Amino acid sequence: MDLKKYTEIALTTLKQLISIQSYSKQENQAADVMEQKLTDFGYQVHRKGNNVWAFNKDFDDKKPVLLLNSHLDTVKPSEKYTKDPFNPEVSEGKLYGLGSNDAGGCLVSLFASFLALEGTDQDYNRVFAASAEEEISGTGGFELIQDEIGRIDVGIVGEPTLMEMAIAEKGLMVLDCDAIGVPGHAARNEGVNAITIAMRDIEWLHSYKFALESEMLGAVKMTVTQINAGKQHNVIPSSCKFVVDVRTNEHYSNEKAFAIIKEKLESNVTARSFRMNSSGIPLEHPLIQTGLNLGMKYYGSPTTSDQAIMKGFPTLKLGPGDSARSHTADEFIYMDEIEKGIEKYYNLLNGLKI
């Protein structure tokens, strides 16, 4: 493999993507770029919504299929930015720009690896997919195209992991809670204060420990992230609404965790979705064993990705960049991280036995 050639392709593509606003549900121009890139390299390109994918040119129905996936969308830039988030500025070995780290660097590194593997003799097929709406867990992203792609035997999801193998990740469930009280005058001993009810529930959420912890992912984590109550200082509030971020391990489906929480809280509890469950890949899978033989480290990730919505096949989260830089002001990725990412992807995939 000509590493410098494919690194240059990746960096050029990433700079183009950074210069385009591609917030979730607004990835159409970024999808146009990837569609054109794949077309220019001679691939038959498939597209649905803002999702773009292509298979290796010598696709063989008798071989298993490996998915190479990362997302096109970004969050909106922080108000703390001091640089233009849409200007791909290079300085001191860093490439700055919105989405450079999360997950543009992963996307273009997977893209370059996909190109580099073309024409090599592998025992498996490859499908490269640039998908939408990952940042909002939207239904118009990978979930929209999985059936269109067809059979997938194993997947690599490109997210910034410092090229360490995230073989498991926590699930995500968001709860909307409403503590119901009785209004009254604050100056008299009247009413039932909804804030007091909410405080009891919040204390339970803060202190409760789920019985089963995960060796890889640790304990289920519950965090109250938003709260709202009251309309004026002299009225006992009849409602106190709060939001809970729940991160589940593999021992608890979101439905199971929800049932436990709902039983314990006085407040009314509604889950926004149960679909983002814990996910991962067995340590003994050939993809992971190959990575271990190459000296790659593994861990369990506390953050979620499109792994959670990929059904029917195991997935590994792996990519250049650092998750700690995601969604930060003046986001950046080191350019040599992309070069090393391509090299490690290629070494992992070249000769892989699935």
Side-chain angles (χ1 to χ4, degrees):
M1 178 186 63
D2 185 343
L3 182 57
K4 290 192 180 301
K5 169 187 171 182
Y6 289 105
T7 301
E8 183 58 34
I9 291 171
L11 288 170
T12 299
T13 304
L14 182 52
K15 289 173 183 177
Q16 286 182 261
L17 293 172
I18 288 170
S19 67
I20 297 169
Q21 180 179 298
S22 54
Y23 304 147
S24 302
K25 294 184 178 289
Q26 300 175 34
E27 311 94 341
N28 54 302
Q29 291 185 57
D32 291 345
V33 168
M34 294 311 304
E35 183 175 11
Q36 188 61 55
K37 290 279 183 182
L38 287 162
T39 300
D40 289 345
F41 281 102
Y43 291 94
Q44 180 181 349
V45 185
H46 306 268
R47 181 165 178 171
K48 188 171 185 179
N50 294 331
N51 303 281
V52 175
W53 70 99
F55 297 92
N56 55 287
K57 296 175 185 177
D58 56 347
F59 191 92
D60 184 344
D61 288 331
K62 300 183 184 67
K63 294 181 179 180
V65 179
L66 169 75
L67 169 71
L68 303 176
N69 165 254
S70 192
H71 62 92
L72 291 163
D73 61 320
T74 73
V75 296
K76 294 183 178 179
S78 163
E79 295 179 354
K80 300 293 186 181
Y81 259 83
T82 64
K83 299 178 180 292
D84 180 352
F86 303 109
N87 177 33
E89 176 185 333
V90 176
S91 177
E92 298 181 343
K94 301 174 183 177
L95 174 56
Y96 288 90
L98 184 65
S100 56
N101 181 78
D102 184 15
C106 303
L107 179 72
V108 299
S109 297
L110 284 171
F111 173 56
S113 302
F114 177 73
L115 297 178
L117 286 163
E118 193 63 58
T120 63
D121 185 18
Q122 306 297 335
D123 290 338
Y124 62 93
N125 296 302
R126 297 162 301 285
V127 55
F128 169 77
S131 54
E133 297 188 21
E134 189 275 343
E135 293 291 1
I136 59 170
S137 304
T139 56
F142 185 83
E143 197 170 27
L144 185 68
I145 64 171
Q146 181 172 337
D147 290 344
E148 302 271 346
I149 291 173
R151 173 185 173 183
I152 301 172
D153 293 275
V154 64
I156 294 179
V157 178
E159 291 285 343
T161 69
L162 294 170
M163 288 307 290
E164 295 181 356
M165 298 185 294
I167 66 170
E169 70 172 20
K170 282 190 170 181
L172 168 63
M173 178 173 57
V174 180
L175 304 179
D176 291 304
C177 304
D178 191 0
I180 305 300
V182 178
H185 198 296
R188 297 191 291 268
N189 190 23
E190 295 177 348
V192 177
N193 196 324
I195 294 176
T196 303
I197 298 171
M199 287 172 63
R200 290 196 292 265
D201 284 346
I202 292 170
E203 175 56 31
W204 181 86
L205 290 162
H206 176 71
S207 60
Y208 182 75
K209 305 294 183 186
F210 283 79
L212 301 176
E213 291 197 15
S214 166
E215 180 179 347
M216 187 62 59
L217 296 173
V220 174
K221 189 174 187 298
M222 299 185 290
T223 308
V224 176
T225 55
Q226 294 173 272
I227 189 166
N228 183 55
K231 295 182 179 179
Q232 58 191 66
H233 77 90
N234 58 352
V235 177
I236 299 295
S238 61
S239 172
C240 180
K241 300 179 187 293
F242 56 99
V243 176
V244 189
D245 178 292
V246 183
R247 306 285 172 153
T248 48
N249 60 30
E250 74 273 22
H251 298 303
Y252 296 91
S253 68
N254 286 336
E255 290 92 336
K256 184 176 180 180
F258 176 80
I260 294 170
I261 296 166
K262 185 176 177 65
E263 180 184 3
K264 297 295 184 180
L265 297 191
E266 296 179 64
S267 303
N268 297 328
V269 186
T270 303
R272 296 182 185 177
S273 170
F274 293 125
R275 55 197 274 274
M276 304 289 287
N277 283 294
S278 175
S279 57
I281 186 170
L283 189 60
E284 61 270 18
H285 192 282
L287 179 63
I288 306 307
Q289 289 299 309
T290 301
L292 292 175
N293 289 336
L294 291 170
M296 300 173 75
K297 299 178 181 178
Y298 70 91
Y299 71 105
S301 172
T303 59
T304 58
S305 70
D306 273 344
Q307 279 187 292
I309 61 170
M310 294 178 176
K311 306 303 181 186
F313 61 95
T315 51
L316 166 66
K317 185 162 67 177
L318 176 70
D322 188 344
S323 180
R325 295 185 218 129
S326 300
H327 306 179
T328 59
D330 297 337
E331 181 182 351
F332 70 89
I333 189 167
Y334 289 100
M335 291 190 292
D336 68 354
E337 287 181 314
I338 292 175
E339 181 178 20
K340 292 174 183 175
I342 295 169
E343 183 176 32
K344 288 185 177 181
Y345 277 143
Y346 186 87
N347 290 339
L348 177 65
L349 298 175
N350 187 28
L352 176 69
K353 308 294 183 184
I354 298 177

